Amino acid sequence: MAISALDLFKIGVGPSSSHTMGPMRAGALFRAQVVAGPHADDVARVRVDLYGSLAATGLGHGTDRAVVAGLLGFEPQRVDPDEMKAAVDDVVRGGGLEFGGRTLAFEWSTDLLFNRESKPWHPNALTITALDGDGGTLLSTTYYSIGGGFVVDEAQAAAGETGVADVEVEFPFTTSEELLALCSRHDLTVARLVARNELAWRPAEDTRAALLEIWGAMQACIGRGVRQEGHLPGGLMVRRRAPELYRHLKSQETPNLITRTFSAMDWVNLYALAVNEENAAGGCVVTAPTNGAAGIIPAVLQYYMRFQQGAGDDDVVDFLLAATAVGVLLKMNASISGAEVGCQGEVGSACAMAAAGLAQVMGGSPAQVENAAEVGLEHNLGLTCDPIGGLVQVPCIERNAMASVKAINAAQLALSGDGRHRVTLDQAIRTMRDTGRDMLSKYKETSEGGLAVAFIEC
């Protein structure tokens, strides 16, 4: 399996890559399958069944609206959030489901069902069924949203596929040990090695342009996040803090060293809060590698671009390519899905990726880049996913800010050494995988444990 940078970094909508973008993609895939199939004119009704974590936190994550949006033909990478909202609102009001040039009746309460039991291959599962006028099944497909917006159907899941096409790259690696050996043998940085691998998908100039477009989307998300006032949707009445913090930082003087240091960290906090508040509001974000952790890589990269003299587009590309190497290892050998391994798979993965990217552009050797990623991941091991009310707000938004600062510190620690360390990134990834398997399901994006229930008890 080979994974491209553009598989890990995707422009989409909030609040969740696995609970919003994945189900939206599933809906769009099913629509295309029906419309192109032999029974397109026989479909009278479509039913959606959500299972496991998608059912447990689906309302808070907007899963119900996302899958309907997909059935309407919206796709996360090209969607206008306002247009999508209006179209789904029309279905909610009883306007019907426009499907293949016809309008099908769609009853929100009976055609979209929440089932708490889990399907065999992954806790994020949904089944979409096309029915004829007599209630007979014309087509029924089960999809699994496996994290980061990746979707596989039941046959693909049974075969162990991951939603990524099998591509032969120049320097294949499945462990950080192999990655470091390749860098040493061919005298390449981590970023340059990944850049050579990206040639298997597209020319170098296309990869560069796409990564800069990704960076532009990240910056736009930060910019919108610092301008939006008010409270986030969902009922928790969480107030947006990014605009007030932005105004404070713009007016603040920094007369001494400790104040300047605090100010730099405040900017990092601001960037992370701005992105994740936008994500929680259903805005346009970059999956990096998930939506729940979408603020970490933009915050750390923006920190570097703001405070490093002479930083430019080359740094952006190298940062994201080095981060990709770590993301590839995490996805291949563990998981980036909160429903599968807890938040260590989302925030922990993003923290490790951001630490690697920062170490790369700060001149780190491949060994130091690997060390930075290991430190970032190690100190997120065991992190549970327990969102209050199933909303990607508490503790998710602040958690991104905390992990962004942690990623910077991880890179700093790695750069202060020579890359030699006791625990390898491979060992940390295996530990994350095993910890996720041992973690009780109530701590894995079901809102049945941790802060999610402590808040209710209070």
Side-chain angles (χ1 to χ4, degrees):
M1 179 178 64
I3 301 172
S4 167
L6 302 188
D7 292 322
L8 290 172
F9 300 112
K10 301 184 288 292
I11 299 173
V13 294
S16 171
S17 51
S18 59
H19 286 60
T20 311
M21 288 174 59
M24 190 185 301
R25 288 192 64 208
L29 288 168
F30 187 80
R31 174 192 174 96
Q33 187 179 9
V34 171
V35 169
H39 303 297
D41 294 334
D42 301 323
V43 178
R45 180 170 148 242
V46 175
R47 187 182 72 236
V48 178
D49 286 273
L50 303 177
Y51 294 94
S53 181
L54 292 186
T57 61
L59 289 176
H61 286 73
T63 305
D64 51 345
R65 296 178 62 87
V67 68
V68 169
L71 289 170
L72 289 169
F74 290 96
E75 296 188 34
Q77 68 272 25
R78 291 188 294 271
V79 70
D80 180 324
D82 294 329
E83 181 185 351
M84 179 183 71
K85 180 180 183 302
V88 175
D89 284 346
D90 185 60
V91 178
V92 173
R93 290 191 295 264
L97 192 67
E98 188 283 317
F99 206 86
R102 298 182 297 124
T103 300
L104 311 179
F106 190 88
E107 291 293 332
W108 205 270
S109 60
T110 58
D111 292 331
L112 206 159
L113 304 175
F114 295 78
N115 307 278
R116 296 303 288 267
E117 66 267 26
S118 293
K119 290 284 189 176
W121 302 111
H122 195 279
N124 291 334
L126 68 158
T127 299
I128 310 178
T129 305
L131 304 166
D132 61 23
D134 298 322
T137 298
L138 297 171
L139 177 68
S140 185
T141 305
T142 295
Y143 299 95
Y144 294 90
S145 181
I146 59 176
F150 292 93
V151 175
V152 294
D153 61 28
E154 197 148 32
Q156 292 170 317
E161 296 183 26
T162 61
V164 178
D166 190 14
V167 173
E168 186 174 339
V169 298
E170 184 178 2
F171 300 115
F173 60 91
T174 59
T175 66
S176 64
E177 183 180 9
E178 293 174 354
L179 171 64
L180 293 178
L182 287 167
C183 288
S184 175
R185 187 179 311 135
H186 299 281
D187 193 25
L188 293 169
T189 67
V190 172
R192 290 304 91 203
L193 184 141
V194 175
R196 294 270 288 271
N197 281 351
E198 291 293 317
L199 294 172
W201 286 277
R202 70 198 75 82
E205 58 271 22
D206 291 353
T207 294
R208 178 184 175 86
L211 291 176
L212 292 176
E213 181 184 6
I214 290 291
W215 172 231
M218 290 178 174
Q219 290 178 294
C221 186
I222 293 172
R224 179 174 169 81
V226 301
R227 294 192 303 270
Q228 302 303 304
E229 304 278 357
H231 294 81
L232 296 171
L236 283 182
M237 296 303 291
V238 173
R239 180 175 57 86
R240 286 181 180 258
R241 286 181 289 175
E244 184 178 346
L245 178 56
Y246 179 67
R247 288 190 293 269
H248 169 71
L249 290 174
K250 292 291 285 186
S251 64
Q252 187 181 54
E253 295 182 1
T254 55
N256 56 54
L257 179 60
I258 192 166
T259 308
R260 287 198 297 272
T261 302
F262 268 63
S263 177
M265 291 301 99
D266 276 337
W267 282 104
V268 176
N269 288 333
L270 170 68
Y271 304 142
L273 292 175
V275 170
N276 282 85
E277 286 172 358
E278 272 300 286
N279 179 62
C284 181
V285 299
V286 174
T287 300
T290 68
N291 283 29
I296 298 167
I297 288 173
V300 176
L301 181 50
Q302 182 75 324
Y303 161 80
Y304 174 83
M305 298 299 288
R306 179 183 179 90
F307 291 101
Q308 179 65 30
Q309 188 174 8
D313 288 351
D314 289 346
D315 297 301
V316 171
V317 173
D318 283 352
F319 185 109
L320 295 176
L321 289 174
T324 294
V326 176
V328 166
L329 292 172
L330 287 158
K331 182 164 174 57
M332 282 197 296
N333 298 310
S335 174
I336 58 173
S337 167
E340 193 169 18
V341 295
C343 200
Q344 58 175 353
E346 296 198 38
V347 162
S349 294
C351 182
M353 292 168 67
L358 183 58
Q360 174 71 73
V361 295
M362 291 296 294
S365 67
Q368 289 171 318
V369 169
E370 184 264 354
N371 188 8
E374 187 279 325
V375 174
L377 181 61
E378 179 183 332
H379 297 289
N380 283 286
L381 291 176
L383 194 60
T384 61
C385 185
D386 50 358
I388 295 174
L391 299 165
V392 191
Q393 297 179 18
V394 182
C396 318
I397 296 171
E398 285 184 354
R399 190 168 281 174
N400 274 251
M402 297 296 292
S404 298
V405 174
K406 190 179 291 186
I408 294 169
N409 199 28
Q412 189 173 15
L413 286 170
L415 293 169
S416 68
D418 60 6
R420 290 180 293 181
H421 53 112
R422 297 296 297 172
V423 178
T424 69
L425 178 58
D426 292 329
Q427 291 166 336
I429 291 173
R430 285 197 298 271
T431 302
M432 189 256 274
R433 178 198 64 196
D434 294 343
T435 303
R437 287 175 178 171
D438 294 340
M439 192 180 290
L440 296 176
S441 62
K442 69 179 183 179
Y443 298 117
K444 293 192 285 189
E445 211 163 2
T446 60
S447 291
E448 295 175 340
L451 284 175
V453 298
F455 174 81
I456 296 171
E457 290 171 357
C458 294

